[in-house]
């Protein structure tokens, strides 16, 4: 049986400008689009704060142990440039999961708590 070729579109039909509301572009009514955007922003801010906290923990551990980045990288099981990115708080380059793994390799215990807002 012959397979059909899949045709992929390569042209950009529309882009949402930075600072725009993608939910409006998707066709949501303006009030709902604004609410969805605010909720998305809140979730992004929470995740950013979690990443910053985990990165701070790793950075403090490096400083407390007077480790060179190359030595910290070996202990953490990552490359030296990845350690540099942690120290420089480049949160976009990391998942929360990868940062939790690094913190665990420092010997610290991680506890997660959920609170009602």
């Amino acid at each position: 049986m012959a397979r059909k070729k899949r045709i992929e579109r390569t042209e950009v039909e529309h882009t949402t400008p930075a600072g725009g509301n993608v939910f409006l572009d998707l066709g949501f009514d303006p009030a709902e689009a604004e609410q969805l955007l605010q909720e998305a922003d809140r979730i992004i801010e929470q995740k950013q704060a979690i990443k910053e906290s985990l990165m701070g923990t790793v950075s403090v551990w490096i400083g407390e142990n007077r480790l060179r980045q190359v030595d910290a990288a070996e202990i953490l099981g990552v490359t030296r440039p990845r350690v540099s990115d942690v120290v420089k708080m480049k949160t976009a380059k990391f998942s929360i999961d990868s940062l939790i793994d690094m913190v665990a390799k420092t010997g610290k215990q991680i506890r997660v708590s959920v609170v009602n807002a």
Side-chain angles (χ1 to χ4, degrees), residues 1 15 33 39-40 43 50 55 74 77-78 80 115:
M1 178 161 62
T15 58
E39 178 66 11
I43 291 167
I50 291 168
M55 291 174 137
E74 187 173 329
V78 297
R80 200 238 13 106
V115 295

Side-chain angles (χ1 to χ4, degrees), residues 7-71:
I7 299 173
E8 294 185 30
R9 292 178 153 204
T10 58
E11 299 150 9
V12 175
E13 293 181 15
H14 176 79
T15 58
T16 301
N21 187 332
V22 69
F23 299 107
L24 273 175
D25 293 344
L26 290 171
F28 288 92
D29 70 77
E32 187 177 9
E34 184 58 32
Q35 183 180 3
L36 289 167
L37 181 62
Q38 287 178 8
E39 178 66 11
D41 287 344
R42 185 186 64 76
I43 291 167
I44 291 167
E45 286 175 18
Q46 287 177 339
K47 289 182 179 183
Q48 183 82 1
I50 291 168
K51 288 180 179 184
E52 289 172 359
S53 176
L54 293 167
M55 291 174 137
T57 298
V58 173
S59 294
V60 167
W61 170 79
I62 291 169
E64 287 175 346
N65 290 282
R66 297 189 174 120
L67 295 171
R68 296 178 308 150
Q69 287 186 0
V70 68
D71 298 325

